[in-house]
Amino acid sequence: MFITLEGPDGSGKSTQVQPLAEYLRQEGYTVFTTREPGGTTISDQVREVLMRLDNRSMYPRTETLLFCAARAQLVEEVIRPRLQRGEIILCDRYADSTLAYQGYGHGVDRDVIRSLLAFATGGLKPDLTLLLDVDAETGLRRRQTGGGEWNRLDAYQLEFHRRVRDGYRELASLEPERWVIVDAEQTPEMVQLAIRGIVTARTGI
Ligand code: TMP
């Protein structure tokens, strides 16, 4: 069973992974958690390149390829072998993040991204994807620390985050059998309860 958590920045998905893993372990399952970009030594090195602040001049196509490169390594080295051993994989972000951020957010051709994703993952798709849905403004404000004035960059970021959020919702509507949308404006405890209920109902775990 391969379960992914997706959502815009500030959706709180990263805080949901470990409690969900603990719950599933208590139910007797072997659970492995990982995150993207990262999860292997090589993928973490690629993450470093992607996240470095002084790499601001990186083009969306470069980003797309690097996210796919990090993912290809993670799938081969970690995800596929563990799935074959019968483990449950919980992944904080996966291929849909590239469609949402580089595709809807930055406008990279989504059909091209889909081909790249198929190549990078060898066609491995999640069994279930939880979209932690949060309004772009709320998500961005949750991420911002220290307050400060609302400036041009924030406005640009807001537009970008709106496209990402709308993109996620469109992706979910295109494959309703795989996606479930969770209201992430609730408290973290409520979100966790909702997630557990969905995982049980959708997977029979
Ligand atoms: P994180 O904040 O969940 O660790 O994600 C890191 C950032 O990378 C986040 O802003 C989303 C972005 N991202 C993409 O733009 N494309 C991708 O394919 C992935 C996996 C993440």
Side-chain angles (χ1 to χ4, degrees), residues 7 9 13-14 35-37 47 51 63 67-68 71 92-99 101-102 106 143 160-161:
D9 294 44
K13 81 195 146 37
S14 302
R35 66 149 185 198
E36 278 225 67
R47 180 184 177 96
M51 298 298 155
E63 257 181 40
F67 280 118
C68 284
R71 182 166 302 131
D92 181 351
R93 295 199 183 282
Y94 185 62
D96 298 300
S97 282
T98 308
L99 281 165
Y101 282 80
Q102 281 64 49
H106 286 303
R143 268 297 167 102
F160 177 79
H161 282 267

Short mmCIF file of all heavy atoms in Angstrom, two decimals, residues 7 9 13-14 35-37 47 51 63 67-68 71 92-99 101-102 106 143 160-161, ligand 1:
data_model
loop_
_atom_site.label_atom_id
_atom_site.label_comp_id
_atom_site.label_asym_id
_atom_site.label_seq_id
_atom_site.Cartn_x
_atom_site.Cartn_y
_atom_site.Cartn_z
N GLY A 7 -0.28 18.74 -0.70
CA GLY A 7 -0.95 19.98 -0.29
C GLY A 7 -0.03 21.16 -0.47
O GLY A 7 1.19 21.01 -0.59
N ASP A 9 2.05 24.66 0.47
CA ASP A 9 2.87 25.03 1.63
C ASP A 9 1.94 25.53 2.72
O ASP A 9 0.98 26.25 2.44
CB ASP A 9 3.84 26.16 1.26
CG ASP A 9 4.88 25.71 0.25
OD1 ASP A 9 4.50 25.03 -0.72
OD2 ASP A 9 6.05 26.05 0.41
N LYS A 13 0.74 19.20 6.27
CA LYS A 13 0.78 17.76 6.00
C LYS A 13 1.93 17.06 6.69
O LYS A 13 1.79 15.93 7.13
CB LYS A 13 0.76 17.50 4.49
CG LYS A 13 2.05 17.64 3.83
CD LYS A 13 1.98 17.74 2.35
CE LYS A 13 3.08 18.66 1.91
NZ LYS A 13 4.35 18.57 2.66
N SER A 14 3.09 17.76 6.82
CA SER A 14 4.26 17.08 7.40
C SER A 14 4.02 16.68 8.85
O SER A 14 4.58 15.67 9.30
CB SER A 14 5.49 17.98 7.30
OG SER A 14 5.70 18.31 5.94
N ARG A 35 9.93 11.33 2.58
CA ARG A 35 9.45 12.62 2.09
C ARG A 35 10.18 12.99 0.81
O ARG A 35 11.26 12.48 0.51
CB ARG A 35 9.72 13.70 3.13
CG ARG A 35 11.21 13.93 3.33
CD ARG A 35 11.57 15.32 3.69
NE ARG A 35 13.02 15.44 3.74
CZ ARG A 35 13.67 16.41 4.33
NH1 ARG A 35 13.01 17.34 4.97
NH2 ARG A 35 14.98 16.45 4.31
N GLU A 36 9.57 13.90 0.10
CA GLU A 36 10.16 14.38 -1.16
C GLU A 36 10.32 15.89 -1.14
O GLU A 36 9.45 16.57 -0.59
CB GLU A 36 9.22 14.01 -2.30
CG GLU A 36 9.40 12.59 -2.77
CD GLU A 36 9.43 12.59 -4.28
OE1 GLU A 36 10.39 13.15 -4.85
OE2 GLU A 36 8.48 12.10 -4.87
N PRO A 37 11.31 16.46 -1.79
CA PRO A 37 12.45 15.73 -2.35
C PRO A 37 13.35 15.24 -1.22
O PRO A 37 13.48 15.91 -0.21
CB PRO A 37 13.16 16.79 -3.20
CG PRO A 37 12.77 18.09 -2.59
CD PRO A 37 11.40 17.90 -2.03
N ARG A 47 18.03 17.49 -3.19
CA ARG A 47 17.20 18.42 -2.41
C ARG A 47 17.98 19.68 -2.04
O ARG A 47 17.48 20.79 -2.14
CB ARG A 47 16.69 17.72 -1.13
CG ARG A 47 15.81 18.64 -0.27
CD ARG A 47 15.40 17.99 1.04
NE ARG A 47 14.62 18.93 1.83
CZ ARG A 47 13.30 18.97 1.87
NH1 ARG A 47 12.60 18.13 1.16
NH2 ARG A 47 12.67 19.86 2.59
N MET A 51 16.86 23.43 -2.81
CA MET A 51 16.40 24.30 -1.73
C MET A 51 17.35 25.47 -1.43
O MET A 51 16.97 26.38 -0.71
CB MET A 51 16.19 23.48 -0.44
CG MET A 51 15.14 22.41 -0.57
SD MET A 51 13.51 23.09 -0.93
CE MET A 51 12.71 21.73 -1.76
N GLU A 63 14.18 22.80 -12.44
CA GLU A 63 13.52 22.31 -11.22
C GLU A 63 12.77 21.00 -11.49
O GLU A 63 12.89 20.04 -10.74
CB GLU A 63 12.45 23.33 -10.81
CG GLU A 63 12.80 24.22 -9.67
CD GLU A 63 11.64 25.16 -9.37
OE1 GLU A 63 10.46 24.77 -9.40
OE2 GLU A 63 11.95 26.32 -9.09
N PHE A 67 13.57 17.54 -9.52
CA PHE A 67 12.59 16.84 -8.68
C PHE A 67 12.36 15.42 -9.20
O PHE A 67 12.25 14.48 -8.41
CB PHE A 67 11.24 17.60 -8.66
CG PHE A 67 11.22 18.77 -7.71
CD1 PHE A 67 11.02 20.06 -8.17
CD2 PHE A 67 11.36 18.58 -6.34
CE1 PHE A 67 10.99 21.16 -7.29
CE2 PHE A 67 11.33 19.66 -5.45
CZ PHE A 67 11.14 20.95 -5.94
N CYS A 68 12.33 15.28 -10.52
CA CYS A 68 12.13 13.94 -11.10
C CYS A 68 13.35 13.05 -10.85
O CYS A 68 13.20 11.85 -10.59
CB CYS A 68 11.86 14.05 -12.60
SG CYS A 68 10.18 14.61 -12.95
N ARG A 71 13.29 11.83 -7.33
CA ARG A 71 12.19 10.85 -7.20
C ARG A 71 12.57 9.50 -7.80
O ARG A 71 12.25 8.45 -7.23
CB ARG A 71 10.96 11.43 -7.90
CG ARG A 71 9.72 10.58 -7.81
CD ARG A 71 8.52 11.39 -8.24
NE ARG A 71 8.39 12.58 -7.42
CZ ARG A 71 8.22 13.83 -7.90
NH1 ARG A 71 8.12 14.04 -9.19
NH2 ARG A 71 8.14 14.84 -7.07
N ASP A 92 5.48 11.93 2.15
CA ASP A 92 5.15 13.35 2.25
C ASP A 92 5.58 14.02 0.94
O ASP A 92 6.75 14.27 0.75
CB ASP A 92 5.93 13.90 3.46
CG ASP A 92 5.68 15.36 3.72
OD1 ASP A 92 5.05 16.03 2.89
OD2 ASP A 92 6.17 15.85 4.77
N ARG A 93 4.64 14.20 0.06
CA ARG A 93 4.81 14.67 -1.33
C ARG A 93 5.32 13.55 -2.25
O ARG A 93 6.10 12.69 -1.83
CB ARG A 93 5.77 15.86 -1.45
CG ARG A 93 5.30 17.12 -0.78
CD ARG A 93 6.05 18.34 -1.31
NE ARG A 93 5.65 19.55 -0.60
CZ ARG A 93 4.51 20.20 -0.83
NH1 ARG A 93 3.68 19.77 -1.73
NH2 ARG A 93 4.22 21.29 -0.15
N TYR A 94 4.88 13.63 -3.51
CA TYR A 94 5.33 12.68 -4.54
C TYR A 94 5.06 13.35 -5.90
O TYR A 94 5.00 14.58 -5.97
CB TYR A 94 4.58 11.34 -4.35
CG TYR A 94 5.01 10.21 -5.24
CD1 TYR A 94 6.31 9.71 -5.21
CD2 TYR A 94 4.12 9.64 -6.15
CE1 TYR A 94 6.70 8.67 -6.04
CE2 TYR A 94 4.48 8.59 -6.98
CZ TYR A 94 5.78 8.11 -6.93
OH TYR A 94 6.15 7.07 -7.76
N ALA A 95 4.87 12.55 -6.92
CA ALA A 95 4.79 13.07 -8.29
C ALA A 95 3.78 14.20 -8.47
O ALA A 95 4.00 15.12 -9.25
CB ALA A 95 4.45 11.92 -9.24
N ASP A 96 2.66 14.14 -7.75
CA ASP A 96 1.63 15.17 -7.93
C ASP A 96 2.15 16.56 -7.54
O ASP A 96 1.64 17.56 -8.05
CB ASP A 96 0.39 14.82 -7.11
CG ASP A 96 -0.22 13.51 -7.57
OD1 ASP A 96 -0.60 13.43 -8.75
OD2 ASP A 96 -0.29 12.56 -6.77
N SER A 97 3.15 16.63 -6.66
CA SER A 97 3.72 17.93 -6.31
C SER A 97 4.35 18.59 -7.54
O SER A 97 4.29 19.80 -7.69
CB SER A 97 4.80 17.77 -5.23
OG SER A 97 4.22 17.60 -3.97
N THR A 98 4.96 17.79 -8.40
CA THR A 98 5.59 18.36 -9.59
C THR A 98 4.52 18.89 -10.55
O THR A 98 4.69 19.95 -11.16
CB THR A 98 6.49 17.31 -10.29
OG1 THR A 98 7.37 16.76 -9.31
CG2 THR A 98 7.32 17.94 -11.40
N LEU A 99 3.42 18.16 -10.68
CA LEU A 99 2.32 18.67 -11.52
C LEU A 99 1.75 19.95 -10.93
O LEU A 99 1.50 20.92 -11.64
CB LEU A 99 1.23 17.61 -11.64
CG LEU A 99 1.53 16.50 -12.65
CD1 LEU A 99 0.60 15.31 -12.45
CD2 LEU A 99 1.41 17.03 -14.08
N TYR A 101 3.13 22.18 -8.61
CA TYR A 101 4.04 23.33 -8.47
C TYR A 101 4.67 23.74 -9.81
O TYR A 101 4.61 24.90 -10.20
CB TYR A 101 5.15 23.03 -7.45
CG TYR A 101 4.69 23.15 -6.02
CD1 TYR A 101 3.97 22.13 -5.41
CD2 TYR A 101 4.93 24.29 -5.28
CE1 TYR A 101 3.53 22.24 -4.11
CE2 TYR A 101 4.49 24.42 -3.97
CZ TYR A 101 3.80 23.38 -3.39
OH TYR A 101 3.36 23.50 -2.09
N GLN A 102 5.32 22.76 -10.49
CA GLN A 102 5.99 23.13 -11.73
C GLN A 102 4.97 23.25 -12.88
O GLN A 102 5.11 24.10 -13.75
CB GLN A 102 7.08 22.10 -12.09
CG GLN A 102 8.37 22.26 -11.29
CD GLN A 102 8.21 22.03 -9.79
OE1 GLN A 102 7.64 21.03 -9.37
NE2 GLN A 102 8.68 22.97 -8.99
N HIS A 106 4.14 26.99 -12.14
CA HIS A 106 5.09 27.68 -13.02
C HIS A 106 4.74 27.58 -14.50
O HIS A 106 5.45 28.15 -15.33
CB HIS A 106 6.50 27.11 -12.82
CG HIS A 106 7.15 27.53 -11.53
ND1 HIS A 106 7.34 28.84 -11.20
CD2 HIS A 106 7.66 26.80 -10.51
CE1 HIS A 106 7.94 28.92 -10.02
NE2 HIS A 106 8.13 27.68 -9.57
N ARG A 143 2.99 29.95 6.94
CA ARG A 143 4.41 29.75 6.66
C ARG A 143 5.26 30.95 7.04
O ARG A 143 6.44 30.85 7.28
CB ARG A 143 4.60 29.46 5.17
CG ARG A 143 4.59 27.99 4.83
CD ARG A 143 5.75 27.33 5.52
NE ARG A 143 5.67 25.89 5.49
CZ ARG A 143 6.35 25.13 4.67
NH1 ARG A 143 7.13 25.67 3.78
NH2 ARG A 143 6.25 23.83 4.75
N PHE A 160 0.99 32.57 -7.11
CA PHE A 160 1.59 31.26 -7.37
C PHE A 160 0.90 30.18 -6.53
O PHE A 160 0.50 29.13 -7.03
CB PHE A 160 3.09 31.32 -7.05
CG PHE A 160 3.80 30.01 -7.22
CD1 PHE A 160 4.16 29.55 -8.48
CD2 PHE A 160 4.10 29.22 -6.11
CE1 PHE A 160 4.81 28.34 -8.64
CE2 PHE A 160 4.75 28.00 -6.26
CZ PHE A 160 5.10 27.55 -7.53
N HIS A 161 0.72 30.49 -5.24
CA HIS A 161 0.11 29.50 -4.35
C HIS A 161 -1.35 29.24 -4.69
O HIS A 161 -1.84 28.13 -4.49
CB HIS A 161 0.27 29.94 -2.89
CG HIS A 161 1.65 29.66 -2.38
ND1 HIS A 161 1.99 28.51 -1.72
CD2 HIS A 161 2.79 30.36 -2.51
CE1 HIS A 161 3.28 28.52 -1.44
NE2 HIS A 161 3.79 29.65 -1.91
P1 TMP B 1 8.21 20.67 1.75
O1 TMP B 1 8.03 22.08 2.25
O2 TMP B 1 6.98 19.83 1.81
O3 TMP B 1 9.45 19.99 2.29
O4 TMP B 1 8.46 20.79 0.16
C1 TMP B 1 9.51 21.48 -0.32
C2 TMP B 1 9.10 22.48 -1.38
O5 TMP B 1 9.34 21.90 -2.67
C3 TMP B 1 7.66 22.92 -1.37
O6 TMP B 1 7.58 24.32 -1.56
C4 TMP B 1 7.07 22.22 -2.55
C5 TMP B 1 8.22 22.08 -3.50
N1 TMP B 1 8.13 20.95 -4.43
C6 TMP B 1 7.97 21.22 -5.79
O7 TMP B 1 7.91 22.38 -6.19
N2 TMP B 1 7.91 20.17 -6.66
C7 TMP B 1 8.00 18.85 -6.26
O8 TMP B 1 7.95 17.93 -7.09
C8 TMP B 1 8.17 18.61 -4.84
C9 TMP B 1 8.29 17.19 -4.35
C10 TMP B 1 8.24 19.67 -3.97
#
